[in-house]
Amino acid sequence: MMDDALDIETRHSVLVRAKREQVYDALTTAEGLDGWFTSGASVDAEPQGNILFRWRNWGPDHISTEDSGVVLEAERPARFVFQWDFDDPERAITVEFDLE
């Protein structure tokens, strides 16, 4: 059987004209995530904390779904890292935010 897991790294940088604390809170709090990405998120922004992404009646197709993960690093306001499980630990993705 062939292993279909990919070992790739993607990097992206963007300028956000806001204080690091504001950007960090938009990534690490339920209120922040719900303001731009989800509709019913839950975040325990501590190492080994849980992160739950919920979408209710979301987008043009009105999708309702959720995904979860675990927080690996939380260093306000500079760094937030979590593993997004997609309900399959073998397909988990590590997401890292470094705020400068």
Side-chain angles (χ1 to χ4, degrees):
M1 184 170 144
M2 185 175 160
D3 182 14
D4 63 354
L6 298 176
D7 184 19
I8 58 175
E9 180 177 317
T10 302
R11 291 179 180 259
H12 181 74
S13 296
V14 64
L15 173 64
V16 177
R17 292 190 188 279
K19 293 180 180 179
R20 287 193 313 168
E21 292 82 2
Q22 291 173 305
V23 176
Y24 188 89
D25 290 346
L27 299 170
T28 64
T29 67
E31 297 81 14
L33 287 168
D34 285 349
W36 67 278
F37 185 54
T38 55
S39 56
S42 172
V43 183
D44 178 11
E46 298 291 329
Q48 300 308 308
N50 293 315
I51 187 166
L52 178 64
F53 301 105
R54 285 189 191 106
W55 297 272
R56 299 289 180 246
N57 201 27
W58 183 77
D61 295 328
H62 305 284
I63 295 170
S64 292
T65 189
E66 59 186 48
D67 281 317
S68 63
V70 63
V71 175
L72 302 177
E73 297 178 44
E75 301 169 19
R76 189 174 196 269
R79 184 166 167 80
F80 186 65
V81 180
F82 65 93
Q83 192 169 50
W84 194 336
D85 292 339
F86 290 106
D87 295 326
D88 181 356
E90 291 185 23
R91 293 181 53 212
I93 295 172
T94 300
V95 179
E96 300 180 31
F97 290 99
D98 290 304
L99 306 172
E100 299 177 355

